[in-house]
Amino acid sequence: MRLLLFFVFVLSGAAGLMYESIWARYLGLFVGHAAYAQILTIGIFLGGMALGAILVGRRSETLKDPLKWYAGVELAAGVIGLFFHEIYGFATEFAYASVFPLLGTGLGLTLAKWIVAGALILPQSVLLGTTFPLMAAGVLRRYRERPGGTLAILYFTNSLGAAVGVLVAGFYLLRMAGLPGTLLAAAMLNLVAAAVSWGVAARSTASEVLLPQTGERVTAGDAAGLEIRRLVVLLLTVSFGTAVASFIYEIAWLRMLSLVLGSATHSFELMLSAFILGLALGSFWVRRRADQWARPLRALGIVQLIMGASALATLPLYGQSFYWMADLMGAFAKTDGGYQGFTVARYAICLAVMLPSTFCAGITLPLITRTLLTNATGERAIGSVYGVNTLGSIVGVGLAGLILMPLLGVRLLLMVGAALDMALGVRILMVAASATGGTRRLAHGAVVATIVVVLFVGVQGGFDQRVLASGVFRHGNRPRTVELEILLHEDGRTATVTTWRQGSTIAIATNGKVDGSLPESWLSACVDSTPRRPLVGDASTQSLAPLIALAHVPNARLAAVIGQGTGMSSDALLASPLLERLVTIEIEPKMILASRAFYPANAAVFDDPRSEIVIEDARTYLASAGEPFDLIVSEPSNPWVSGVASLFTSEFYGRVARWLDDDGVFAQWVQLYELNDGLVLSVLAGLEENFGDYEVFLTEFNDMLIVATKSDRLPAPDWSIFSSPSIQEHFCHSVVPTAESLEGARLTHDGVLAPLLYGWGQPNSDFYPVLDLGAERARYRHETAQGFADLSTERVDLAGVVSLRRVEPARVANVPMGSIPRVHALALAAGLRDPASTQGVDTAGVPKGLAAARYRQLRWDELLAGNQGPDDWRDWVDDLREVERDRHGGTSGFVDGAFYGPVLSYLDRFDAPDEARLVTAFYRALAGWDFARTAETADALLDLDAERHGWITPAELLEGAVVANLRIGDVAAARRKFGLLVADANGGFGLRLRLLGAYVDAMSNEIGE
């Protein structure tokens, strides 16, 4: 029976941590950044548990059978868990719709959030807090022998369940069932625990209550002779103080390891599980010793000293963990199997840092509880120790996360925790010495040892900030510290923020992840002789994203930017003379401080009276703003960062639509690097549900911007805003984009993607976090949403063909945005058609590869003008394909007659084979959107070259054939060609193949095929 109860307590511990981790996600959606949500959730959770434990501890002696009460508590917690999702939805919707708009910004809004959050999870937390004292009392009344061992096993089983529960919830249940399903699983564990414990209680009889010792002094162990009251105060103080220290460790380690492992949600789950597993193993180790030690106070004091020293020892170990991480990144394959092995290895890093100290922490509570149970307060000790320890945890969380972290930084924060633990150890040894006289020398030695250890660590150099900022978890490169010059490094409440210079680039990073960068030349004053360079990299996205959005609502009066970053996006918007007010919403104050490294490039953010910086969660602020916005630009960090994916969900977009004016525009930046096509589509599916129309642009090769409206039609962009003197001044260090080049940045739109998104599975959601769960894996595998970047670079321009939106050739071979593929291709083609088009263009603006393309064109022209046919017509077709792509690059629905005239003449002069003629005709018809001719030549090519021996690539031929047949209405033929294309893809379903399949299915459904 006892083993069965221990198993029940494993389930209870698993349920408790599953609740805590899922509540953190729920409250993160409500209060903002995950770091705030974690502190808030832990504080409320532990506060409720402390209250429950202390209340039960005082009353358990009056209960006839605590085990039956335990069963009732588990039943009540499970029932609440079953309905938590619905309760959360009602409460938060009421807050957003009715409470926040009345409060505006400020302290009242913050208090309202905390009150709602507390009301949501406090009742169940109080119930969960009663479980340990009730279970412990129930078991000890049935099995009175070796109480210390029994208590240790209960601490062990509960902690073991918690360590496993957080991993099962984060890595498996969330993926399978989302937040509501994971809560349901936790609730079912509560109900199972209730049923089994009730059954055990009904079949066994509880003995009498364990009463406290009579008399005024302790009679056993090395506490013999102490006043009972003094022993109780000492051990409860230690229970409180060591909890404060342990949670200081936890907060410090979470921040420290996030720089090694990355600040993704799964990384935090691994850290939390490793922390709790250390507690479990310590409790397991002490299970036999707790009842055997004749001097439990001395043992406790020594454990406290070792715990503090072990925490200090993690400081030099931590520096080496960056190099371990780099080696691990290289050791595991970039596959799903490699990711699983890499996850286990990351867990090992967490254990290497945390285990020694948490192992000691796991020893303390069983030892303290057993000492008070048998020597002083009896059964009341269980609830008292557990409750006071939990109160200390609350103080530790709040003190470390909200006060000491930004004040001291992580290194000094950890030292404070270690000093506290060692001071407690010294105090225990001194009290034991005063009681027995036998450990006075040890107490004095402990004082000296503590001072020496703390001073030794204190005089050591701090962490190498260049290593901390290396972002080793992204690229796996061993930190090369000589390359970075640290300008600022601050530990904020939600993140560690760094700005650094590398060569001629200045960058800003949060938790080692770069969130923006700028060439240092942008920080210099502009004069007439200032060289203008094409926009590339982050500078391109930071300038183009806000201004492309503004072009769709040029008369915007009130705008908001989510995320400060470098401040360049807000600075660009403030260049609009019509804008009356711009609010930059940032949740981490240190980001504002760090972004000053980019002054004066972002001067308007700090100096323009129209600019307002708000430190708040975006959801909360926008709900409380009190007036609709004309423009909202969302540029948060990458979605794999914990908590950020909640700004890419369907529910968030639904709220954004409410916060916009009827004619307002919303712009969402989405990275294409470190994601895959499916994850980006999950974001677009959520946006599709809440907005009437949208366009997609590239602001850089790997950066995508979605511009959306809740109206049925997104207004056409007014590119003339780029002619405004103030916006021209913003671009004084770069080439000003032209209307022609900005049109080249256009990628796709709602109508193109709608057929695919209508049949999409689960959109990224608050409660089904597809993006959050998949982005970290995609980052590890170095995946890229290449399908989106390829939409405008492959021969078949799917977006153009579907919407019949033509793209004409560029007139000038100038590349104002150097890393946008279509803009580059159009400029290169212009340079081929008209060599004079590069005159007056700065060499930096001439498209890369133009010289090589001109050489290919020259060789091709010489071949066509010659008097001899090719040695191999297949080679000739290969050359045709390459030169034709150069000449038509970036265009859609356009045929360069000057190119094809000589080609057709050459084919006739040298009696070209049918395959060469058909390939040429196919390319020409497809380029000019002669869909009937495209379908005809594709069929002929398939008949002549059924085995496709290399005259044309299968993807080009079959993609062209499918879109041509769809355009002429021959859906059956399109479906047949699509089947060939799928077979040729060998199971690889990229974005283009998914899109084509969606088009085929949509047209088949229209005609009822």
Side-chain angles (χ1 to χ4, degrees):
M1 287 292 188
R2 179 161 56 175
L3 291 178
L4 191 57
L5 290 177
F6 289 156
F7 175 72
V8 164
F9 221 36
V10 172
L11 300 184
S12 180
L17 257 292
M18 287 165 68
Y19 283 132
E20 183 182 344
S21 63
I22 300 304
W23 286 343
R25 286 179 176 268
Y26 274 102
L27 296 191
L29 298 170
F30 183 58
V31 304
H33 196 283
Y36 280 148
Q38 287 166 352
I39 293 174
L40 177 64
T41 304
I42 292 173
I44 299 172
F45 179 66
L46 294 176
M49 291 186 68
L51 179 60
I54 291 172
L55 290 175
V56 166
R58 292 178 176 178
R59 295 179 174 273
S60 67
E61 295 175 356
T62 65
L63 303 178
K64 183 177 181 181
D65 189 351
L67 190 58
K68 289 185 177 180
W69 281 85
Y70 168 82
V73 165
E74 290 282 5
L75 175 64
V79 171
I80 296 175
L82 292 176
F83 298 101
F84 180 85
H85 180 76
E86 288 73 19
I87 297 169
Y88 171 88
F90 172 80
T92 54
E93 182 60 33
F94 177 76
Y96 280 125
S98 302
V99 178
F100 291 173
L102 299 176
L103 297 175
T105 59
L107 180 61
L109 182 63
T110 302
L111 290 175
K113 286 197 299 184
W114 282 62
I115 290 170
V116 173
L120 283 168
I121 69 173
L122 187 60
Q124 206 169 354
S125 299
V126 173
L127 290 172
L128 294 175
T130 67
T131 57
F132 186 89
L134 288 173
M135 171 63 85
V139 173
L140 287 173
R141 289 195 196 179
R142 286 168 170 81
Y143 309 98
R144 303 176 73 94
E145 71 280 4
R146 299 181 57 247
T150 298
L151 286 168
I153 289 294
L154 286 173
Y155 277 113
F156 163 71
T157 53
N158 199 239
S159 299
L160 179 65
V164 173
V166 69
L167 295 180
V168 171
F171 283 87
Y172 297 102
L173 291 179
L174 272 173
R175 190 176 300 277
M176 292 187 296
L179 272 67
T182 306
L183 279 179
L184 178 63
M188 295 306 296
L189 292 179
N190 287 139
L191 298 179
V192 170
V196 174
S197 55
W198 182 269
V200 171
R203 292 190 172 197
S204 59
T205 303
S207 61
E208 294 181 359
V209 65
L210 298 171
L211 296 174
Q213 174 179 310
T214 58
E216 295 182 356
R217 294 188 176 273
V218 181
T219 58
D222 56 355
L226 280 180
E227 292 182 4
I228 290 178
R229 184 176 179 277
R230 187 181 181 193
L231 178 66
V232 171
V233 170
L234 171 69
L235 293 185
L236 290 183
T237 300
V238 172
S239 178
F240 179 89
T242 196
V244 173
S246 293
F247 271 84
I248 287 177
Y249 298 153
E250 180 175 355
I251 296 297
W253 284 332
L254 286 175
R255 178 64 59 81
M256 289 164 61
L257 287 172
S258 69
L259 300 173
V260 180
L261 309 182
S263 54
T265 302
H266 283 335
S267 296
F268 287 119
E269 289 161 350
L270 292 172
M271 297 178 218
L272 182 58
S273 176
F275 186 90
I276 299 172
L277 181 61
L279 300 176
L281 294 177
S283 298
F284 185 76
W285 181 84
V286 80
R287 74 194 187 283
R288 298 188 186 279
R289 296 165 177 82
D291 295 299
Q292 297 173 356
W293 278 330
R295 296 178 173 179
L297 285 185
R298 185 172 72 168
L300 180 61
I302 293 172
V303 167
Q304 289 288 147
L305 290 171
I306 295 173
M307 179 161 45
S310 299
L312 291 175
T314 65
L315 293 175
L317 189 69
Y318 172 62
Q320 291 301 310
S321 65
F322 287 86
Y323 298 92
W324 300 343
M325 187 66 173
D327 294 339
L328 290 174
M329 289 283 288
F332 292 96
K334 298 301 181 282
T335 61
D336 285 341
Y339 178 72
Q340 293 171 1
F342 176 66
T343 299
V344 173
R346 286 189 298 165
Y347 196 59
I349 290 178
C350 296
L351 288 173
V353 172
M354 297 182 180
L355 185 60
S357 292
T358 55
F359 184 91
C360 293
I363 296 172
T364 58
L365 285 196
L367 197 54
I368 291 171
T369 309
R370 192 266 180 195
T371 301
L372 289 179
L373 181 74
T374 57
N375 292 324
T377 61
E379 191 175 289
R380 282 177 292 177
I382 302 171
S384 298
V385 172
Y386 192 78
V388 168
N389 182 263
T390 308
L391 284 175
S393 301
I394 301 170
V395 173
V397 168
L399 186 66
L402 300 177
I403 300 174
L404 295 182
M405 174 77 77
L407 185 64
L408 302 178
V410 291
R411 182 174 179 272
L412 288 178
L413 175 64
L414 193 71
M415 291 180 64
V416 167
L420 176 58
D421 261 336
M422 297 179 80
L424 290 172
V426 169
R427 177 59 181 164
I428 294 167
L429 292 176
M430 293 181 69
V431 170
S434 69
T436 65
T439 58
R440 189 175 300 276
R441 183 177 299 175
L442 179 61
H444 292 163
V447 172
V448 174
T450 299
I451 294 173
V452 169
V453 170
V454 173
L455 288 178
F456 175 77
V457 175
V459 299
Q460 299 300 306
F463 299 140
D464 189 331
Q465 295 174 350
R466 296 168 298 178
V467 173
L468 302 185
S470 63
V472 64
F473 54 85
R474 294 184 67 198
H475 307 297
N477 299 322
R478 293 175 71 85
R480 296 189 293 272
T481 58
V482 295
E483 299 179 2
L484 294 182
E485 176 191 352
I486 301 300
L487 304 177
L488 177 142
H489 183 87
E490 295 280 347
D491 294 311
R493 288 194 178 104
T494 68
T496 296
V497 182
T498 309
T499 53
W500 45 258
R501 180 186 289 108
Q502 184 174 21
S504 61
T505 299
I506 295 179
I508 186 170
T510 54
N511 290 337
K513 188 270 160 189
V514 174
D515 276 329
S517 63
L518 203 63
E520 196 170 13
S521 60
W522 279 62
L523 276 60
S524 61
C526 288
V527 295
D528 292 341
S529 60
T530 299
R532 291 176 177 264
R533 303 293 184 183
L535 282 167
V536 294
D538 289 345
S540 182
T541 293
Q542 291 161 180
S543 294
L544 290 182
L547 293 177
I548 288 175
L550 180 66
H552 289 83
V553 55
N555 296 320
R557 297 287 190 271
L558 177 61
V561 173
I562 300 174
Q564 167 78 346
T566 62
M568 291 298 295
S569 293
S570 295
D571 184 89
L573 284 179
L574 287 165
S576 168
L578 299 180
L579 198 65
E580 296 175 357
R581 181 167 166 247
L582 174 70
V583 181
T584 303
I585 309 166
E586 174 58 55
I587 201 163
E588 174 50 63
K590 297 295 186 183
M591 285 294 289
I592 307 301
L593 175 64
S595 67
R596 286 191 173 272
F598 298 91
Y599 193 92
N602 59 6
V605 180
F606 300 104
D607 300 341
D608 195 313
R610 299 172 297 161
S611 174
E612 178 183 355
I613 298 174
V614 174
I615 305 300
E616 184 54 271
D617 162 56
R619 292 188 184 213
T620 303
Y621 174 78
L622 292 171
S624 63
E627 57 181 319
F629 288 81
D630 301 308
L631 174 63
I632 298 175
V633 179
S634 181
E635 293 184 324
S637 189
N638 297 47
W640 57 260
V641 176
S642 180
V644 173
S646 65
L647 295 177
F648 294 84
T649 66
S650 178
E651 291 83 359
F652 176 66
Y653 294 144
R655 297 191 186 281
V656 167
R658 284 186 243 169
W659 301 326
L660 280 174
D661 186 75
D662 290 341
D663 297 322
V665 164
F666 170 68
Q668 174 72 73
W669 165 81
V670 182
Q671 68 181 85
L672 297 180
Y673 59 95
E674 297 178 340
L675 289 180
N676 56 48
D677 293 333
L679 293 174
V680 175
L681 285 169
S682 75
V683 174
L684 284 163
L687 193 139
E688 176 88 26
E689 291 181 340
N690 296 284
F691 289 92
D693 190 26
Y694 61 85
E695 293 270 1
V696 181
F697 295 82
L698 286 180
T699 57
E700 202 266 340
F701 179 74
N702 278 322
D703 286 330
M704 191 172 86
L705 181 74
I706 310 165
V707 184
T709 179
K710 57 186 179 182
S711 302
D712 293 335
R713 188 72 177 170
L714 182 70
D718 180 4
W719 299 129
S720 69
I721 67 166
F722 285 83
S723 302
S724 164
S726 53
I727 290 180
Q728 292 264 328
E729 185 179 350
H730 175 82
F731 288 103
C732 70
H733 292 91
S734 65
V735 179
V736 181
T738 63
E740 187 176 74
S741 62
L742 290 163
E743 282 296 323
R746 195 188 298 269
L747 184 64
T748 186
H749 62 89
D750 185 5
V752 173
L753 298 174
L756 177 59
L757 296 177
Y758 287 155
W760 194 249
Q762 176 63 54
N764 185 47
S765 164
D766 284 350
F767 309 116
Y768 298 91
V770 176
L771 187 61
D772 185 45
L773 295 174
E776 185 183 13
R777 183 188 298 263
R779 187 203 74 203
Y780 169 78
R781 295 187 58 178
H782 294 169
E783 293 180 336
T784 299
Q786 190 64 42
F788 282 91
D790 288 346
L791 282 178
S792 64
T793 59
E794 295 299 312
R795 181 173 297 278
V796 180
D797 176 13
L798 291 180
V801 170
V802 169
S803 57
L804 295 181
R805 178 182 286 169
R806 297 182 185 273
V807 179
E808 297 294 330
R811 295 184 300 275
V812 180
N814 190 9
V815 188
M817 300 102 79
S819 50
I820 298 177
R822 172 167 267 162
V823 175
H824 182 275
L826 286 168
L828 188 144
L832 287 179
R833 283 191 299 274
D834 181 11
S837 65
T838 58
Q839 293 179 3
V841 175
D842 187 283
T843 55
V846 175
K848 292 181 180 179
L850 179 58
R854 281 177 170 169
Y855 178 73
R856 287 192 296 269
Q857 179 73 56
L858 177 64
R859 293 289 304 272
W860 180 253
D861 291 342
E862 290 174 349
L863 175 65
L864 295 185
N867 296 319
Q868 184 178 351
D871 295 332
D872 188 326
W873 279 100
R874 289 179 190 268
D875 293 340
W876 183 90
V877 168
D878 289 341
D879 292 338
L880 167 71
R881 178 183 300 112
E882 191 170 15
V883 178
E884 195 269 352
R885 286 179 69 96
D886 288 342
R887 287 288 290 262
H888 291 80
T891 63
S892 189
F894 164 79
V895 175
D896 187 347
F899 171 79
Y900 272 107
V903 169
L904 296 176
S905 175
Y906 186 84
L907 290 170
D908 290 337
R909 279 193 296 139
F910 295 104
D911 194 23
D914 289 343
E915 289 87 350
R917 292 177 180 273
L918 286 170
V919 169
T920 304
F922 175 81
Y923 285 156
R924 186 167 184 251
L926 185 59
W929 290 355
D930 183 349
F931 297 118
R933 180 63 174 153
T934 302
E936 178 187 341
T937 54
D939 286 340
L941 277 169
L942 287 170
D943 290 340
L944 281 175
D945 191 17
E947 297 184 11
R948 284 168 273 163
H949 286 150
W951 285 96
I952 187 171
T953 64
E956 284 183 337
L957 177 61
L958 294 172
E959 277 192 0
V962 171
V963 297
N965 280 286
L966 288 175
R967 270 294 165 199
I968 64 177
D970 191 347
V971 181
R975 185 171 289 282
R976 287 195 300 273
K977 304 298 191 309
F978 182 73
L980 293 173
L981 185 60
V982 170
D984 191 75
N986 295 320
F989 281 77
L991 177 63
R992 298 175 66 84
L993 200 58
R994 288 176 175 180
L995 268 176
L996 282 174
Y999 299 152
V1000 171
D1001 291 340
M1003 290 197 68
S1004 298
N1005 293 334
E1006 284 182 13
I1007 65 174
E1009 185 181 278

